[in-house]
């Protein structure tokens, strides 16, 4: 890149010494702020109460958040050295910590920080440390926890917002500080003006930044803030933090001592540090309800459209932007490891912020565009990806999708889209290009999804096998099977997968293609189609006589290397077992037999204590129709195998979930009583940790020790409550199945009547 951009001077040594003396702690800061807010709210409620009692309950006084106060003071001290500190390793950590503490509650803090980095953005965006600072400031500047938008009128301040959020700044007395002095208001532009200036500064270098490992991340954050969208970061990642000395919520890994080899362990370094996830393929985004500036302002929208035009060649501001889609720079950007994820973010932002080609954000139904959070650990272990917003027909997102795959609207027959088919084929074999195809398959509307499948010949057996055999494009096939929209598409997919399952290609662990079989089984269970074909092909692929013999081959159980170690399981195989148990109950008999007869009691206990095994295999049994065969008998048989180990499982972090679920699923009181009796003998051990105490409560162990009548009454109420909740949750599903049964009966009656009529004739 060219170097004719501004570089800030080195940070002042005295400023760094001052920052090192500040013991900031982000976790403590959040706890202090929440405690102070709760105290002020309780105090206000007591003052407004109309009770005649003179004696009021004394509320313990809570001091003003010290970390927030110190961070605001520190920001005032360093506001003229923000750009210099951003280029320093320790200074950048301090700036990120100060940003995360102050900006969510103070708009003036966001303006100071953004103004401090203005003029140096091209340099900071390509800097190892400075780029992280710019990202953190941009990610936190768009919305606040109820702060008034000082210096920029927000468009989302409506009556539907949470009233608790509106009072936060008033309680923290930040609304008075945000007014600032007259001198501050003179030199500090409004939030909107600062962001427009930042956009104008970065726009000329957009293409160079897009292919830069650091600059592309800055552009992603800027694209989001200009469109009023923010990444929906899971709470278990968002709430990580600590002191600045320990790295706090820093990005990357803390440097170790010199001349020592790196040692990876499962808990820290191998997990990837504490940074926010960088997987744009599966990241979730949401519309910000209360932005700090007017997102619908034409100047702000023009900045966003300018970046889209620069990076993709699509002029969204013009209604007559219908150029012929040809292979060029855009396809190269899609395959670039830096610009590829950036284009995915642009596609997702267009899908959320612009439902149709109408550029007025104020008319977009934002409540329907917000993605529900689906980041539970259970779904993660099952490989379930949350439902993603699909772009509409003739929308900006579809325009970009057509430009990416070089779609020709003048060709009516989708199967004749040769250029689009070649682009899809080429992208599927590229690591980053395949990511874009996966996102298109997940976010396309049904019509465009069908067109892509026809152009790429995904449901042609020969092409399907060629995709599946490739080391990269097989992941596109997995996504295809996971996103099939219609029953006819599922039928075509089953026909395509039948051959590579029967010959053992996808079942052989050495080929690393079991993900295809997993997704095929998941699709078959979802659409209730081809289930017998799947089981027959699986037996052929493993060259075994029975389905039950295939279960150990799928799970690939390995004993732990040492005492207390983790067992080895094939992740795709374990997830396949879960979906095989979602087949029609009569087809699940041999699968259940393979789990309960091919594994010893000790192995089943190890599976119960493993997160993946417990969720996929044990819960696969317990989440089935346990009131009918073969599941009812399997639950009882599993209970028999685990007999004598209930106390051991009850004190385990994962295993205690199995104890609770089996106790609820057992059909007869005698079986439940046997578990409670065994648990009562180990109540002292179970009382020693939280999991054991939970099982004592859930399985009514103390009630059992008091007497059978008391225990039976408590368990009966728990069962009634469980049944009531299940009926509420599954009411719609039960209703739909009843309708299908009535239709089937009606068809059978019609067929019988027609047969009788023929006989009479």
């Amino acid at each position: 890149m060219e170097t004719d951009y501004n570089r800030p001077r080195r940070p002042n040594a005295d400023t760094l010494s001052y920052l090192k003396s500040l013991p900031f702690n982000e976790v403590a800061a959040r706890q202090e702020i929440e405690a102070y807010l709760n105290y002020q709210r309780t105090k206000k409620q007591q003052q407004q109460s109309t009770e005649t009692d003179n004696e009021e309950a004394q509320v313990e006084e809570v001091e003003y958040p010290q970390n927030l106060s110190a961070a605001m003071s520190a920001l005032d001290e360093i506001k003229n050295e923000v750009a210099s500190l951003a280029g320093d390793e320790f200074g950048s950590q301090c700036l990120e910590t100060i940003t995360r503490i102050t900006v969510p509650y103070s708009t003036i803090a966001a303006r100071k920080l953004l103004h401090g980095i203005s003029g140096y953005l091209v340099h900071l965006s390509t800097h190892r440390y400075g780029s992280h600072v710019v990202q953190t400031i941009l990610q936190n500047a768009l919305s606040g926890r109820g702060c008034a938008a000082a210096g920029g009128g927000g468009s989302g301040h409506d009556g539907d917002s949470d009233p608790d959020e509106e009072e936060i700044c008033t309680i923290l007395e930040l609304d008075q500080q945000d007014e600032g002095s007259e001198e501050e208001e003179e030199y500090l532009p409004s939030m909107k003006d600062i962001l427009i200036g930042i956009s104008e500064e970065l726009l000329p270098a957009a293409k160079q930044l897009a292919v830069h490992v650091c600059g592309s991340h800055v552009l992603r954050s800027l694209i989001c803030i200009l469109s009023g969208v923010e990444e929906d970061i899971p709470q278990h990642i968002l709430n990580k933090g600590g002191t600045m000395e320990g790295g706090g919520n820093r990005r990357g890994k803390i440097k170790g001592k010199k001349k020592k080899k790196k040692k990876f362990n499962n808990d820290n370094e191998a997990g990837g540090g504490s940074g926010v996830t960088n997987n744009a393929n599966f990241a979730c985004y949401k519309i910000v309800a209360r932005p700090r500036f007017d997102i619908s302002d034409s100047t702000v929208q023009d900045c966003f459209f300018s970046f889209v035009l620069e990076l993709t060649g699509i002029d969204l501001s013009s209604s007559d932007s219908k150029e012929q889609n040809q292979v060029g720079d855009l396809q190269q950007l899609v395959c670039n490891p830096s610009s590829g994820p950036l284009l995915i973010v642009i596609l997702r932002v267009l899908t959320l912020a612009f439902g149709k080609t109408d550029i007025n954000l104020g008319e977009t139904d934002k409540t329907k565009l917000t993605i529900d959070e689906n980041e539970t650990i259970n779904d993660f272990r099952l490989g379930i990806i949350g439902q993603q917003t699909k772009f509409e027909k003739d929308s900006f997102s579809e325009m970009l999708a057509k430009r990416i795959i070089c779609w020709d609207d003048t060709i009516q027959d989708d199967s004749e889209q040769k250029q689009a088919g070649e682009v899809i084929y080429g992208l599927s074999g590229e690591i980053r290009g395949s990511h874009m195809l996966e996102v298109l398959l997940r976010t396309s509307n049904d019509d465009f999804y069908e067109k892509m499948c026809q152009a790429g010949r995904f449901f042609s057996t020969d092409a399907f096998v060629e995709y599946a055999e490739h080391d990269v494009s097989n992941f596109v096939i997995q996504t295809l099977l996971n996103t099939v929209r219609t029953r006819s598409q599922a039928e075509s997919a089953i026909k395509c997968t039948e051959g590579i399952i029967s010959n053992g290609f996808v079942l052989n662990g050495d080929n690393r293609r079991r993900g295809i079989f997993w997704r095929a089984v998941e699709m078959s269970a979802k659409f209730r189609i081809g289930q017998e074909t799947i089981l027959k092909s699986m037996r052929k692929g493993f060259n075994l006589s029975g389905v039950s013999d295939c279960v150990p081959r799928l799970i690939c159980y390995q004993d732990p290397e040492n005492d207390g170690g983790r067992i080895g399981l094939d992740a795709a195989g374990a997830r396949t077992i879960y979906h095989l148990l979602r087949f029609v109950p009569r087809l699940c008999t041999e699968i259940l037999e393979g789990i309960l007869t091919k594994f010893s009691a000790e192995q089943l206990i190890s599976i119960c204590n493993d997160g993946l095994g417990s969720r996929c295999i044990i819960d696969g049994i317990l989440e089935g129709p346990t009131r009918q065969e073969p599941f009812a008998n399997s639950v009882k048989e599993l209970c028999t195998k685990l007999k004598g180990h209930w106390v051991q499982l009850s004190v385990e972090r994962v295993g205690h979930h199995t104890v609770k679920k089996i106790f609820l699923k057992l059909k007869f009181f005698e079986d439940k009583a046997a578990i409670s009796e065994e648990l009562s003998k180990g109540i002292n051990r179970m009382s020693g940790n939280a999991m054991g105490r939970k099982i004592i409560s859930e399985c009514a162990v103390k009630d059992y020790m008091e007497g059978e009548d008391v225990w039976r009454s408590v368990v009966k109420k728990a069962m009634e409550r469980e049944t009531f909740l299940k009926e509420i949750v599954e009411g719609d599903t039960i209703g739909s199945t009843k309708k299908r049964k009535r239709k089937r009966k009606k068809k059978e009656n019609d067929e019988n009547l027609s047969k009788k009529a023929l006989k009479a004739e």
Side-chain angles (χ1 to χ4, degrees), residues 169-188:
C169 280
T170 305
I171 294 176
L172 294 175
E173 301 175 358
L174 292 176
D175 51 347
Q176 299 174 3
Q177 297 178 23
D178 281 357
E179 294 177 2
S181 61
E182 294 182 0
E183 296 180 357
E184 281 186 345
E185 290 296 332
E186 288 180 1
Y187 90 86
L188 266 184

Side-chain angles (χ1 to χ4, degrees), residues 382-384 449 453 458-459 464 476-498 500-501 514-534 575-576 578-584:
L382 287 175
I384 295 175
Y449 182 92
C453 291
F458 285 128
F459 295 127
F464 187 95
V476 178
I477 293 298
Q478 294 182 39
T479 304
L480 175 75
L481 296 173
N482 183 235
T483 57
V484 163
R485 309 292 175 85
T486 64
R487 189 176 179 86
S488 61
Q489 292 172 354
E491 289 177 352
S492 302
I494 290 292
K495 292 178 182 178
C496 293
T497 55
E498 183 179 356
I500 54 178
I501 296 173
R514 284 196 172 180
I516 295 177
F517 182 59
W518 158 37
R519 292 302 187 186
V521 172
E522 180 186 27
M523 178 188 65
S524 179
K526 177 182 177 182
F527 287 94
R528 298 269 177 161
I529 187 173
Q531 296 179 358
E532 293 184 357
T533 302
I534 290 283
R575 290 165 177 165
T576 303
Y578 179 86
H579 293 292
L580 285 172
L581 292 173
R582 305 281 77 77
F583 280 9
V584 179

Side-chain angles (χ1 to χ4, degrees), residues 73 80 124 157 162 191 221 253 300 366 438 508 520 567 621 713 715 730 754:
S73 300
N80 297 321
L124 293 177
H157 296 195
D162 188 352
M191 179 74 76
S221 299
K253 310 176 186 71
V300 177
K366 299 178 182 180
E438 290 180 44
N508 189 346
I567 61 174
I621 300 173
S713 175
V715 172
E730 299 181 354
S754 61

Side-chain angles (χ1 to χ4, degrees), residues 199-460:
S199 302
E200 293 173 350
E201 184 179 350
L202 290 178
L203 183 60
K207 286 188 176 179
Q208 291 88 346
L209 292 174
V211 295
H212 193 278
V213 65
C214 298
S216 60
H217 287 75
V218 173
L219 286 184
R220 286 159 64 172
S221 299
L222 183 60
I223 289 292
C224 287
I225 195 173
L226 289 175
S227 56
V229 174
E230 67 179 3
E231 185 176 357
D232 194 4
I233 303 172
Q235 289 297 319
H236 68 279
I237 296 177
L238 185 65
N239 291 332
K240 282 188 176 181
T243 62
M244 292 194 301
E245 294 179 0
N249 204 10
R250 61 174 291 166
R251 301 167 189 259
K253 310 176 186 71
I254 301 174
K255 289 183 178 179
K257 294 182 180 180
K258 293 182 179 179
K259 296 182 180 179
K260 283 192 175 181
K261 294 182 179 179
K262 293 182 180 180
K263 294 181 180 180
F264 296 96
N265 56 64
N266 293 332
D267 297 330
N268 298 322
E269 296 186 51
S274 61
V276 174
T277 177
N278 184 31
N279 193 345
N281 193 6
F282 300 110
C284 293
Y285 296 86
K286 62 182 180 181
I287 296 288
V288 176
R290 292 173 52 85
R292 281 171 164 160
F293 60 96
D294 190 359
I295 299 296
S296 61
D297 184 85
S298 60
T299 313
V300 177
Q301 289 188 3
D302 288 342
C303 291
F304 174 76
F305 293 151
S306 298
F307 277 102
V308 175
L309 176 62
E310 184 72 15
L311 295 172
T312 67
I314 301 176
D315 187 3
L316 299 180
S317 60
S318 174
S319 58
D320 298 329
S321 179
K322 291 186 178 180
E323 300 178 4
Q324 190 173 3
N325 298 327
Q326 298 292 338
V327 179
D329 294 339
L330 182 58
Q331 284 68 35
Q332 294 181 1
L333 290 176
V334 170
C335 297
N336 186 276
S338 296
S339 58
L342 172 62
L343 291 173
I344 290 176
V345 171
I346 293 176
L347 180 68
R348 291 189 178 278
V349 165
L350 288 173
T351 303
L352 280 175
F354 303 91
K356 295 182 179 179
T357 51
D358 185 3
I359 64 174
N360 187 0
L361 283 180
E363 296 179 3
T364 306
D365 189 356
K366 299 178 182 180
T367 58
K368 294 182 180 179
L369 296 175
T370 303
I371 299 176
D372 295 332
E373 185 175 0
N374 190 11
E375 294 290 337
T376 62
I377 194 66
N378 289 338
D379 288 343
F380 170 76
R381 285 182 175 136
L382 287 175
I384 295 175
I385 299 171
Q387 187 67 28
Q388 301 187 20
T389 304
K390 297 178 177 60
F391 58 76
E392 300 177 13
K393 188 176 177 61
D394 298 327
S395 62
F396 288 154
S397 300
E398 187 172 283
M399 291 171 57
L400 177 57
K402 289 182 176 180
R403 178 65 62 91
I404 289 172
I405 64 174
C406 298
W407 188 268
D408 190 352
D409 285 322
T410 61
I411 300 176
Q412 299 298 324
D413 189 355
D414 297 335
S415 60
E416 296 297 324
Q417 294 277 353
K418 294 183 179 180
Q419 186 178 28
E422 291 175 357
V423 172
I424 292 173
Y425 181 81
L427 292 178
S428 66
E430 292 284 340
I431 296 176
R432 298 296 173 181
S434 65
H435 288 176
M436 175 60 80
L437 277 183
E438 290 180 44
V439 172
L440 289 177
L441 288 172
R442 295 189 186 281
T443 59
S444 298
N445 57 68
D446 294 346
D447 181 58
F448 191 72
Y449 182 92
E450 179 68 27
K451 290 180 178 179
M452 280 187 60
C453 291
Q454 290 189 20
R457 299 177 62 241
F458 285 128
F459 295 127
S460 170

Side-chain angles (χ1 to χ4, degrees), residues 734-760:
I734 293 172
S736 61
T737 54
K738 286 181 178 179
K739 289 179 182 178
R740 284 200 295 269
K741 287 180 180 178
R742 283 199 296 269
K743 289 180 181 178
R744 288 174 184 171
K745 288 180 180 178
K746 186 177 179 181
K747 288 181 180 179
E748 290 174 358
N749 293 334
D750 292 341
E751 290 176 358
N752 293 332
L753 289 173
S754 61
K755 289 179 181 178
K756 290 179 180 179
L758 289 172
K759 288 181 179 179

